[in-house]
Amino acid sequence: MLVENEAGALSRIAGLFSARGYNIESLTVAPTNDPSLSRMTLVTSGNDDVVEQIKKQLDKLIDVVKLLDLSTGQHIEREMMLIKLKAPSPMREELKRLVDIFRAKIIDVTEVSYVVELTGSSKKLDAFIQAVPNGLITEVVRSGPTGIARGAAGLTPDA
Amino acid sequence: MDNSLTPPLQLSGADIVIQTLIDAGVDYVFGYPGGAVLHIYDALFKKADQIKHILVRHEQGAVHAADGYARATGRCGVCLVTSGPGATNAVTGIATAYMDSIPLVVLTGQVPLPVIGSDAFQEVDTVGITRPCVKHNFLVRKREDLAPIIAKAFHIAQTGRPGPVVVDIPKDMTDPTQLIPYYYPREVQLRAYQPPQHGDLEQIRKAVSLLLTAQRPVIYTGGGVIADNAAAELTELTRLLGYPLTSTLMGLGGYPMTDKQFVGMLGMHGTYEANMAMHETDCLIAIGARFDDRVTGKIEHFCPQAKIIHIDIDPASISKTVRVDIPIVGPVGSVLRELLRLLRTSPQRPNAEALTTWWQRIEEWRQVNCMRYDRNSDKIKPQFAIETLYQLTKGDLYLTSDVGQHQMFAAQFYPFDQPRRWINSGGLGTMGFGLPAAVGVQLAHPDSRVVCVSGEASILMCIQELATCKQYKLPIKILLLNNGYMGMVRQWQEFFYESRYAHTYVEALPDFVALANSFGHVGMRVDQPDQLAKTLQDAFALTDRLVLIDVVVDPTENVYPMVAAGKGQHEMHLPPTLSERELA
């Protein structure tokens, strides 16, 4: 979604979901190259009728400038995760290998811990968490997915 | 922007608020002063010759009055209330207007910008509190934004699917010492808000061909017909097709209710013939109606055989509760005009033979006489009171109502032949709506007869507005159907809670005649059926006075037919069988 970059726009959208009993699985939001607009990626679930109704209700909000259901077309989704792992000396090499396999990066190191940065589809992030040996995860921070449609066309206010 | 050569006026924010209202063509503002709006009231004081302020006695009353004004005129209602409790008191009125899609602009005072968030005196997050019950709302953060935001508020409130818009104005925005140039924004730019102007022609074509092949068609209309002033188009279409028409509570008056093609209201307290026709129809055309749960009953049983056409300006109303086959998104009036044009040019005509059979079936249902009641009772039946009102006025009135049994009796027994005559809170069901709404209606139509039908429970929820009526000499007639109970709740308790009347008997009622008198009005009481017409005539004869008529009605009467919540439309409670004498 492209939304007016105004105070209250986010709470209008979040409020709509709680008021109508819809589910927000994740929500990311940040300003765009046009300072008057924010871009929001929202992941929700429901049957076709519910999703259709959610889209119509969002489109009705005066702060929602443009809405696109990425799941109806070819698109790319990326999520970022920062994960803090316990890294005692016997495990350090194994964790390092795991980081390489997933093309992640270690971005903070202490004698007993790593902080790993990993970007990819949400499923890839899930898989990394699954692959970490039991008991080594200290903290998980995930951004929630952001997305963009494939191809030359862009989501703009006039598109 | 005004491009005239004269230099712009230098005005304070407070003056700008009032001047914008004047330039928007507002004649009445309904409000109540307080700390955060004092600058605005001072500006209003100076312009008293150009814009009239109506001082209500509670902010809920201000919003209902503006709402009544809007419903009776089709114009935008305007309110002005203070911050904190002023705003929270207004919320019930705002939610009422939101549920019924009524255009309002509600200006609320707010504490000064620098102290917002500090729990200042009379501070609430008005934008936050009202967000779920407004079409849109604004917090003014720059003085220069005042006029553009108020102009946007009017535009949003009145276009598309109408609704209330709140503009929250911090007190420092209206500082009388800070002057800025004033322009009235002639044009409003909102990039993300473009309500549809007409329906899709291909969809309208499909609707025409479905309509013309129908065997058992029904036209189902709602408040959208009233909102878009499309009663004439609807009447033309219905006459052209010759199909039966039923209406929601909100749509009454969109088509003449005394006409033979009108089969009554539908839904929970709709007629037997309307609900049965819905159950058996093979082609339903919904026009400006939103398939509310009080209309559909249990969705699984709703119009089980029908292909459905749905005309609505709000895309989100399409297939929200009931899946439709041919959606047409657009203003009702414009879509109906296009539909009429296509019907007239089509070589095909409705199936006359099927239609005759269909009408015969409907006539059989009509014979059930689903709204029968005991006409020979020695107590005044509420139905009889409404019928007597009709006999004396014949549609020449504006009728506001509160919420409950009296509201349903009025809807069932007073046939409205014109739109905007029936003024009630349909969606939210707000007790206390009727009297303040009548204030707005009477001000909008000073020479017309305005009657408020109420009950002894509802009227007490906004009784303070009797003082407003006195101050502005409003000759409203209040028909108080007094049964000593919260009648509709009592009815549900009788049906579904084995007559355990938990807190529905109003044990300590005021003497309503004395109460009316104490406010400087006229009170009358009647408890004999044969005295009712005379009493009403006496009341109407007092053309310059408010008269409250305390009508003592049978406390045991119920509203029939009734579709219980969660039941199908065709599963109606009908009135208990009456003896021949009673039916006479």
Side-chain angles (χ1 to χ4, degrees), chain A residues 4-5 7-8 11-12 19-20 34 36-37 48-49 53 56-57 59-66 157, chain B residues 98 127 131-132 134-138 141 156 161 190-193 314-321 323:
Chain A
E4 299 285 355
N5 190 8
S11 54
R12 260 182 242 284
R20 293 190 182 268
D34 175 347
S36 72
L37 289 171
D48 289 355
D49 288 348
Q53 187 59 214
K56 286 172 173 174
Q57 293 290 352
D59 237 347
K60 246 173 95 166
L61 295 176
I62 285 159
D63 286 340
V64 173
V65 178
K66 212 76 199 175
Chain B
Y98 181 66
V127 166
R131 189 176 297 125
V134 293
K135 185 169 172 186
H136 197 59
N137 58 18
F138 296 94
R141 291 167 185 278
I156 293 169
R161 179 176 178 177
L190 287 159
R191 60 177 160 185
Y193 177 73
D314 178 7
S317 282
I318 306 281
S319 295
K320 184 171 69 179
T321 57
R323 238 176 197 287

CSV table of all heavy atoms in Angstrom, one decimal, chain A residues 4-5 7-8 11-12 19-20 34 36-37 48-49 53 56-57 59-66 157, chain B residues 98 127 131-132 134-138 141 156 161 190-193 314-321 323:
chain,number,residue,atom,x,y,z
A,4,GLU,N,-0.8,8.0,2.8
A,4,GLU,CA,-0.4,9.4,3.1
A,4,GLU,C,0.6,9.3,4.3
A,4,GLU,O,0.3,8.7,5.3
A,4,GLU,CB,-1.6,10.3,3.4
A,4,GLU,CG,-2.6,10.4,2.3
A,4,GLU,CD,-2.2,11.3,1.2
A,4,GLU,OE1,-1.1,11.9,1.3
A,4,GLU,OE2,-2.9,11.4,0.2
A,5,ASN,N,1.7,10.0,4.1
A,5,ASN,CA,2.7,10.0,5.2
A,5,ASN,C,2.2,11.0,6.3
A,5,ASN,O,2.8,12.1,6.4
A,5,ASN,CB,4.0,10.4,4.7
A,5,ASN,CG,5.1,10.2,5.7
A,5,ASN,OD1,4.9,9.7,6.8
A,5,ASN,ND2,6.3,10.6,5.4
A,7,ALA,N,0.4,11.7,10.4
A,7,ALA,CA,0.1,11.1,11.7
A,7,ALA,C,-1.3,10.5,11.6
A,7,ALA,O,-2.2,11.1,11.1
A,7,ALA,CB,0.1,12.2,12.7
A,8,GLY,N,-1.5,9.4,12.2
A,8,GLY,CA,-2.8,8.8,12.2
A,8,GLY,C,-3.1,7.8,11.1
A,8,GLY,O,-4.0,7.0,11.3
A,11,SER,N,-2.6,4.2,12.4
A,11,SER,CA,-3.6,3.8,13.4
A,11,SER,C,-4.9,3.6,12.7
A,11,SER,O,-5.7,2.7,13.1
A,11,SER,CB,-3.7,4.7,14.6
A,11,SER,OG,-3.9,6.0,14.1
A,12,ARG,N,-5.2,4.3,11.6
A,12,ARG,CA,-6.4,4.1,10.9
A,12,ARG,C,-6.4,2.6,10.3
A,12,ARG,O,-7.4,1.9,10.3
A,12,ARG,CB,-6.6,5.0,9.7
A,12,ARG,CG,-7.5,6.2,10.0
A,12,ARG,CD,-7.5,7.1,8.8
A,12,ARG,NE,-7.0,8.4,9.1
A,12,ARG,CZ,-7.7,9.3,9.8
A,12,ARG,NH1,-8.9,9.1,10.2
A,12,ARG,NH2,-7.2,10.5,10.0
A,19,ALA,N,-11.1,-3.5,14.5
A,19,ALA,CA,-12.5,-3.2,14.6
A,19,ALA,C,-13.3,-4.2,13.8
A,19,ALA,O,-14.4,-4.6,14.2
A,19,ALA,CB,-12.8,-1.8,14.0
A,20,ARG,N,-12.8,-4.7,12.7
A,20,ARG,CA,-13.5,-5.7,11.9
A,20,ARG,C,-13.1,-7.1,12.1
A,20,ARG,O,-13.5,-8.0,11.3
A,20,ARG,CB,-13.4,-5.3,10.4
A,20,ARG,CG,-14.2,-3.9,10.1
A,20,ARG,CD,-14.3,-3.6,8.7
A,20,ARG,NE,-15.0,-2.3,8.5
A,20,ARG,CZ,-16.3,-2.2,8.3
A,20,ARG,NH1,-17.1,-3.2,8.3
A,20,ARG,NH2,-16.8,-0.9,8.2
A,34,ASP,N,9.1,9.6,-2.3
A,34,ASP,CA,8.2,10.8,-2.3
A,34,ASP,C,7.8,11.0,-0.8
A,34,ASP,O,7.2,10.2,-0.2
A,34,ASP,CB,6.9,10.4,-3.1
A,34,ASP,CG,5.9,11.5,-3.0
A,34,ASP,OD1,6.0,12.4,-2.1
A,34,ASP,OD2,4.9,11.4,-3.8
A,36,SER,N,5.8,12.6,0.8
A,36,SER,CA,4.4,12.6,1.2
A,36,SER,C,3.8,11.2,1.3
A,36,SER,O,2.6,11.1,1.7
A,36,SER,CB,3.6,13.5,0.2
A,36,SER,OG,3.4,12.7,-1.0
A,37,LEU,N,4.5,10.2,0.9
A,37,LEU,CA,3.9,8.9,0.9
A,37,LEU,C,4.8,7.9,1.7
A,37,LEU,O,6.0,7.9,1.7
A,37,LEU,CB,3.9,8.3,-0.5
A,37,LEU,CG,2.9,8.9,-1.5
A,37,LEU,CD1,3.1,8.4,-2.9
A,37,LEU,CD2,1.5,8.6,-1.0
A,48,ASP,N,-11.0,-16.1,0.4
A,48,ASP,CA,-11.1,-15.1,-0.6
A,48,ASP,C,-12.1,-14.0,-0.3
A,48,ASP,O,-11.8,-12.8,-0.6
A,48,ASP,CB,-11.5,-15.8,-2.0
A,48,ASP,CG,-10.4,-16.7,-2.5
A,48,ASP,OD1,-9.3,-16.7,-1.9
A,48,ASP,OD2,-10.6,-17.4,-3.5
A,49,ASP,N,-13.2,-14.3,0.2
A,49,ASP,CA,-14.2,-13.3,0.6
A,49,ASP,C,-13.7,-12.3,1.6
A,49,ASP,O,-13.9,-11.1,1.5
A,49,ASP,CB,-15.5,-14.0,1.1
A,49,ASP,CG,-16.3,-14.7,0.0
A,49,ASP,OD1,-16.0,-14.5,-1.2
A,49,ASP,OD2,-17.2,-15.4,0.3
A,53,GLN,N,-12.9,-8.4,1.1
A,53,GLN,CA,-13.5,-7.3,1.9
A,53,GLN,C,-12.4,-6.5,2.6
A,53,GLN,O,-12.6,-5.3,2.7
A,53,GLN,CB,-14.4,-8.1,3.0
A,53,GLN,CG,-15.2,-7.2,3.8
A,53,GLN,CD,-16.2,-6.3,3.1
A,53,GLN,OE1,-16.5,-5.2,3.5
A,53,GLN,NE2,-16.8,-6.7,2.0
A,56,LYS,N,-11.2,-4.0,0.1
A,56,LYS,CA,-12.2,-2.9,-0.2
A,56,LYS,C,-12.3,-1.9,1.0
A,56,LYS,O,-12.3,-0.7,0.8
A,56,LYS,CB,-13.6,-3.5,-0.4
A,56,LYS,CG,-13.8,-4.2,-1.7
A,56,LYS,CD,-15.1,-4.9,-1.7
A,56,LYS,CE,-15.5,-5.5,-3.0
A,56,LYS,NZ,-16.8,-6.3,-2.8
A,57,GLN,N,-12.2,-2.5,2.2
A,57,GLN,CA,-12.3,-1.6,3.4
A,57,GLN,C,-11.0,-0.7,3.5
A,57,GLN,O,-11.1,0.5,3.8
A,57,GLN,CB,-12.4,-2.4,4.7
A,57,GLN,CG,-13.8,-3.1,4.8
A,57,GLN,CD,-15.0,-2.2,5.0
A,57,GLN,OE1,-14.8,-1.0,5.2
A,57,GLN,NE2,-16.2,-2.7,4.9
A,59,ASP,N,-9.2,0.2,0.9
A,59,ASP,CA,-9.2,1.2,-0.2
A,59,ASP,C,-10.2,2.4,0.1
A,59,ASP,O,-10.0,3.5,-0.4
A,59,ASP,CB,-9.8,0.5,-1.5
A,59,ASP,CG,-8.8,0.6,-2.6
A,59,ASP,OD1,-7.9,1.4,-2.5
A,59,ASP,OD2,-8.9,-0.1,-3.6
A,60,LYS,N,-11.1,2.1,1.0
A,60,LYS,CA,-12.1,3.2,1.4
A,60,LYS,C,-11.4,4.2,2.2
A,60,LYS,O,-11.9,5.4,2.3
A,60,LYS,CB,-13.2,2.5,2.2
A,60,LYS,CG,-14.6,2.6,1.5
A,60,LYS,CD,-15.6,1.8,2.3
A,60,LYS,CE,-16.4,2.6,3.2
A,60,LYS,NZ,-17.6,1.9,3.7
A,61,LEU,N,-10.3,3.8,2.9
A,61,LEU,CA,-9.7,4.8,3.8
A,61,LEU,C,-9.1,5.9,3.0
A,61,LEU,O,-8.4,5.7,2.0
A,61,LEU,CB,-8.6,4.2,4.7
A,61,LEU,CG,-9.1,3.1,5.7
A,61,LEU,CD1,-7.9,2.5,6.3
A,61,LEU,CD2,-10.0,3.7,6.7
A,62,ILE,N,-9.3,7.2,3.4
A,62,ILE,CA,-8.9,8.3,2.6
A,62,ILE,C,-7.4,8.5,2.6
A,62,ILE,O,-6.8,9.0,1.7
A,62,ILE,CB,-9.7,9.6,3.1
A,62,ILE,CG1,-11.1,9.4,2.5
A,62,ILE,CG2,-9.1,10.9,2.6
A,62,ILE,CD1,-12.2,10.2,3.2
A,63,ASP,N,-6.7,7.9,3.6
A,63,ASP,CA,-5.3,7.9,3.7
A,63,ASP,C,-4.6,6.9,2.8
A,63,ASP,O,-3.4,6.9,2.6
A,63,ASP,CB,-4.8,7.8,5.1
A,63,ASP,CG,-5.0,9.0,5.9
A,63,ASP,OD1,-5.2,10.1,5.3
A,63,ASP,OD2,-5.0,8.9,7.2
A,64,VAL,N,-5.4,5.9,2.3
A,64,VAL,CA,-4.8,4.8,1.5
A,64,VAL,C,-4.8,5.3,0.0
A,64,VAL,O,-5.9,5.4,-0.6
A,64,VAL,CB,-5.5,3.5,1.7
A,64,VAL,CG1,-5.0,2.5,0.7
A,64,VAL,CG2,-5.3,3.0,3.1
A,65,VAL,N,-3.6,5.6,-0.5
A,65,VAL,CA,-3.6,6.2,-1.9
A,65,VAL,C,-3.6,5.1,-2.9
A,65,VAL,O,-4.3,5.2,-4.0
A,65,VAL,CB,-2.3,7.0,-2.0
A,65,VAL,CG1,-2.2,7.6,-3.4
A,65,VAL,CG2,-2.3,8.2,-1.0
A,66,LYS,N,-3.0,4.0,-2.7
A,66,LYS,CA,-2.9,2.9,-3.7
A,66,LYS,C,-2.7,1.6,-3.0
A,66,LYS,O,-2.0,1.5,-2.0
A,66,LYS,CB,-1.7,3.1,-4.6
A,66,LYS,CG,-1.9,2.7,-6.0
A,66,LYS,CD,-2.7,3.6,-6.8
A,66,LYS,CE,-3.3,2.9,-8.0
A,66,LYS,NZ,-4.3,3.8,-8.7
A,157,PRO,N,1.2,6.7,-7.2
A,157,PRO,CA,-0.1,7.2,-6.9
A,157,PRO,C,-1.0,7.3,-8.2
A,157,PRO,O,-2.2,7.1,-8.1
A,157,PRO,CB,0.2,8.6,-6.4
A,157,PRO,CG,1.6,8.6,-5.9
A,157,PRO,CD,2.3,7.6,-6.7
B,98,TYR,N,-22.9,7.9,11.4
B,98,TYR,CA,-22.0,7.0,10.6
B,98,TYR,C,-22.8,5.7,10.2
B,98,TYR,O,-22.7,5.3,9.0
B,98,TYR,CB,-20.8,6.6,11.5
B,98,TYR,CG,-19.8,5.7,10.8
B,98,TYR,CD1,-19.1,6.2,9.7
B,98,TYR,CD2,-19.6,4.4,11.2
B,98,TYR,CE1,-18.2,5.4,9.0
B,98,TYR,CE2,-18.7,3.6,10.6
B,98,TYR,CZ,-18.0,4.1,9.5
B,98,TYR,OH,-17.1,3.3,8.8
B,127,VAL,N,-9.5,12.5,18.0
B,127,VAL,CA,-9.3,11.8,16.7
B,127,VAL,C,-9.3,10.3,16.9
B,127,VAL,O,-9.8,9.5,16.1
B,127,VAL,CB,-8.0,12.4,16.0
B,127,VAL,CG1,-7.6,11.5,14.9
B,127,VAL,CG2,-8.3,13.8,15.5
B,131,ARG,N,-12.2,7.7,15.5
B,131,ARG,CA,-11.8,7.1,14.3
B,131,ARG,C,-12.6,6.0,13.8
B,131,ARG,O,-13.0,6.0,12.6
B,131,ARG,CB,-10.3,6.7,14.5
B,131,ARG,CG,-9.7,6.2,13.2
B,131,ARG,CD,-8.2,5.9,13.4
B,131,ARG,NE,-7.4,7.0,13.8
B,131,ARG,CZ,-6.7,7.0,14.9
B,131,ARG,NH1,-6.6,6.0,15.6
B,131,ARG,NH2,-6.0,8.1,15.2
B,132,PRO,N,-13.1,5.1,14.6
B,132,PRO,CA,-13.9,4.0,14.1
B,132,PRO,C,-15.3,4.4,13.7
B,132,PRO,O,-16.0,3.5,13.1
B,132,PRO,CB,-13.9,2.9,15.2
B,132,PRO,CG,-13.1,3.5,16.3
B,132,PRO,CD,-12.8,4.9,16.1
B,134,VAL,N,-16.2,7.5,12.1
B,134,VAL,CA,-16.3,8.6,11.2
B,134,VAL,C,-15.9,8.2,9.8
B,134,VAL,O,-15.2,7.2,9.7
B,134,VAL,CB,-15.4,9.8,11.6
B,134,VAL,CG1,-15.8,10.5,12.9
B,134,VAL,CG2,-13.9,9.4,11.7
B,135,LYS,N,-16.4,8.9,8.8
B,135,LYS,CA,-15.9,8.6,7.5
B,135,LYS,C,-14.4,9.0,7.4
B,135,LYS,O,-13.6,8.4,6.8
B,135,LYS,CB,-16.8,9.4,6.4
B,135,LYS,CG,-16.4,9.0,5.0
B,135,LYS,CD,-17.4,9.6,4.0
B,135,LYS,CE,-16.9,9.4,2.6
B,135,LYS,NZ,-17.8,10.0,1.6
B,136,HIS,N,-14.1,10.2,8.0
B,136,HIS,CA,-12.7,10.6,8.1
B,136,HIS,C,-12.6,11.6,9.3
B,136,HIS,O,-13.6,12.2,9.6
B,136,HIS,CB,-12.3,11.3,6.8
B,136,HIS,CG,-10.8,11.4,6.7
B,136,HIS,ND1,-9.9,10.3,6.7
B,136,HIS,CD2,-10.0,12.4,6.5
B,136,HIS,CE1,-8.7,10.7,6.5
B,136,HIS,NE2,-8.7,12.0,6.4
B,137,ASN,N,-11.4,11.8,9.8
B,137,ASN,CA,-11.3,12.9,10.7
B,137,ASN,C,-9.9,13.6,10.6
B,137,ASN,O,-9.0,13.0,9.9
B,137,ASN,CB,-11.5,12.4,12.2
B,137,ASN,CG,-10.6,11.3,12.6
B,137,ASN,OD1,-9.6,11.0,12.1
B,137,ASN,ND2,-11.0,10.6,13.7
B,138,PHE,N,-9.8,14.8,11.1
B,138,PHE,CA,-8.6,15.6,11.0
B,138,PHE,C,-8.3,16.2,12.3
B,138,PHE,O,-9.1,16.6,13.1
B,138,PHE,CB,-8.9,16.8,10.0
B,138,PHE,CG,-9.2,16.4,8.6
B,138,PHE,CD1,-10.5,16.3,8.2
B,138,PHE,CD2,-8.2,16.3,7.7
B,138,PHE,CE1,-10.8,16.0,6.9
B,138,PHE,CE2,-8.5,16.0,6.3
B,138,PHE,CZ,-9.8,15.8,5.9
B,141,ARG,N,-3.2,21.1,12.6
B,141,ARG,CA,-1.9,21.4,13.2
B,141,ARG,C,-1.2,22.7,12.8
B,141,ARG,O,-0.2,23.1,13.3
B,141,ARG,CB,-0.9,20.3,12.8
B,141,ARG,CG,-1.2,19.0,13.5
B,141,ARG,CD,-0.4,17.8,12.9
B,141,ARG,NE,-0.8,16.6,13.4
B,141,ARG,CZ,-0.3,16.1,14.6
B,141,ARG,NH1,0.5,16.8,15.3
B,141,ARG,NH2,-0.8,14.9,15.0
B,156,ILE,N,-15.8,15.5,1.8
B,156,ILE,CA,-15.9,14.1,2.1
B,156,ILE,C,-17.2,13.7,2.7
B,156,ILE,O,-17.8,12.7,2.4
B,156,ILE,CB,-14.7,13.8,3.1
B,156,ILE,CG1,-13.4,14.0,2.4
B,156,ILE,CG2,-14.8,12.4,3.6
B,156,ILE,CD1,-12.2,13.9,3.4
B,161,ARG,N,-20.4,7.7,-0.5
B,161,ARG,CA,-21.3,7.3,0.6
B,161,ARG,C,-21.2,8.3,1.7
B,161,ARG,O,-20.1,8.4,2.3
B,161,ARG,CB,-21.0,5.9,1.0
B,161,ARG,CG,-21.9,5.4,2.2
B,161,ARG,CD,-21.5,4.0,2.5
B,161,ARG,NE,-22.3,3.5,3.7
B,161,ARG,CZ,-22.3,2.3,4.2
B,161,ARG,NH1,-21.5,1.4,3.6
B,161,ARG,NH2,-23.0,1.9,5.2
B,190,LEU,N,-8.1,15.7,-3.3
B,190,LEU,CA,-7.9,14.6,-2.4
B,190,LEU,C,-7.5,13.4,-3.4
B,190,LEU,O,-8.3,12.9,-4.0
B,190,LEU,CB,-9.1,14.2,-1.6
B,190,LEU,CG,-9.5,15.1,-0.4
B,190,LEU,CD1,-10.9,14.9,-0.1
B,190,LEU,CD2,-8.6,14.8,0.8
B,191,ARG,N,-6.2,13.1,-3.5
B,191,ARG,CA,-5.8,12.2,-4.5
B,191,ARG,C,-6.3,10.8,-4.3
B,191,ARG,O,-6.4,10.0,-5.3
B,191,ARG,CB,-4.2,12.2,-4.6
B,191,ARG,CG,-3.5,11.7,-3.4
B,191,ARG,CD,-2.0,11.7,-3.6
B,191,ARG,NE,-1.3,11.7,-2.3
B,191,ARG,CZ,0.0,11.8,-2.2
B,191,ARG,NH1,0.7,11.8,-3.3
B,191,ARG,NH2,0.6,11.8,-1.1
B,192,ALA,N,-6.6,10.4,-3.0
B,192,ALA,CA,-7.0,9.0,-2.8
B,192,ALA,C,-8.5,8.9,-2.6
B,192,ALA,O,-8.9,7.9,-2.1
B,192,ALA,CB,-6.2,8.5,-1.6
B,193,TYR,N,-9.2,9.9,-3.0
B,193,TYR,CA,-10.7,9.8,-2.7
B,193,TYR,C,-11.4,10.3,-4.0
B,193,TYR,O,-11.5,11.5,-4.3
B,193,TYR,CB,-11.0,10.7,-1.6
B,193,TYR,CG,-12.5,10.8,-1.3
B,193,TYR,CD1,-13.2,9.7,-0.7
B,193,TYR,CD2,-13.2,12.0,-1.5
B,193,TYR,CE1,-14.5,9.8,-0.5
B,193,TYR,CE2,-14.6,12.1,-1.3
B,193,TYR,CZ,-15.2,11.0,-0.8
B,193,TYR,OH,-16.6,11.0,-0.5
B,314,ASP,N,-20.9,2.2,-2.5
B,314,ASP,CA,-19.8,1.8,-1.7
B,314,ASP,C,-19.3,0.4,-2.1
B,314,ASP,O,-20.0,-0.6,-1.9
B,314,ASP,CB,-20.2,1.8,-0.2
B,314,ASP,CG,-19.1,1.3,0.7
B,314,ASP,OD1,-18.0,1.1,0.2
B,314,ASP,OD2,-19.4,1.1,1.9
B,315,PRO,N,-18.2,0.3,-2.8
B,315,PRO,CA,-17.7,-1.1,-3.2
B,315,PRO,C,-17.7,-2.1,-2.1
B,315,PRO,O,-17.9,-3.3,-2.3
B,315,PRO,CB,-16.4,-0.8,-3.8
B,315,PRO,CG,-16.1,0.6,-3.8
B,315,PRO,CD,-17.2,1.3,-3.1
B,316,ALA,N,-17.4,-1.6,-0.9
B,316,ALA,CA,-17.2,-2.5,0.3
B,316,ALA,C,-18.6,-3.0,0.7
B,316,ALA,O,-18.6,-4.0,1.5
B,316,ALA,CB,-16.5,-1.8,1.4
B,317,SER,N,-19.7,-2.5,0.3
B,317,SER,CA,-21.0,-3.0,0.6
B,317,SER,C,-21.3,-4.2,-0.3
B,317,SER,O,-22.2,-5.0,0.0
B,317,SER,CB,-22.1,-2.0,0.4
B,317,SER,OG,-22.1,-1.1,1.5
B,318,ILE,N,-20.6,-4.3,-1.4
B,318,ILE,CA,-20.9,-5.4,-2.3
B,318,ILE,C,-20.3,-6.7,-1.8
B,318,ILE,O,-19.2,-6.8,-1.5
B,318,ILE,CB,-20.2,-5.1,-3.7
B,318,ILE,CG1,-20.7,-3.8,-4.3
B,318,ILE,CG2,-20.5,-6.3,-4.7
B,318,ILE,CD1,-22.0,-3.6,-4.9
B,319,SER,N,-21.2,-7.7,-1.7
B,319,SER,CA,-20.8,-9.1,-1.3
B,319,SER,C,-20.1,-9.0,0.1
B,319,SER,O,-19.3,-9.9,0.4
B,319,SER,CB,-19.9,-9.7,-2.3
B,319,SER,OG,-20.6,-10.0,-3.5
B,320,LYS,N,-20.6,-8.1,1.0
B,320,LYS,CA,-20.0,-8.1,2.3
B,320,LYS,C,-20.6,-9.2,3.2
B,320,LYS,O,-19.9,-9.9,3.9
B,320,LYS,CB,-20.3,-6.7,3.0
B,320,LYS,CG,-19.6,-6.6,4.3
B,320,LYS,CD,-19.7,-5.1,4.9
B,320,LYS,CE,-21.2,-4.8,5.2
B,320,LYS,NZ,-21.3,-3.4,5.8
B,321,THR,N,-21.9,-9.3,3.1
B,321,THR,CA,-22.5,-10.4,3.9
B,321,THR,C,-23.2,-11.4,3.0
B,321,THR,O,-23.2,-12.6,3.3
B,321,THR,CB,-23.6,-9.8,4.9
B,321,THR,OG1,-24.6,-9.1,4.1
B,321,THR,CG2,-23.0,-8.9,5.9
B,323,ARG,N,-23.4,-12.8,-1.0
B,323,ARG,CA,-22.7,-12.8,-2.3
B,323,ARG,C,-23.7,-12.4,-3.4
B,323,ARG,O,-24.7,-13.0,-3.5
B,323,ARG,CB,-22.1,-14.2,-2.6
B,323,ARG,CG,-20.7,-14.2,-2.8
B,323,ARG,CD,-20.2,-15.6,-3.0
B,323,ARG,NE,-18.8,-15.7,-2.8
B,323,ARG,CZ,-17.9,-15.2,-3.7
B,323,ARG,NH1,-18.3,-14.6,-4.8
B,323,ARG,NH2,-16.6,-15.3,-3.5
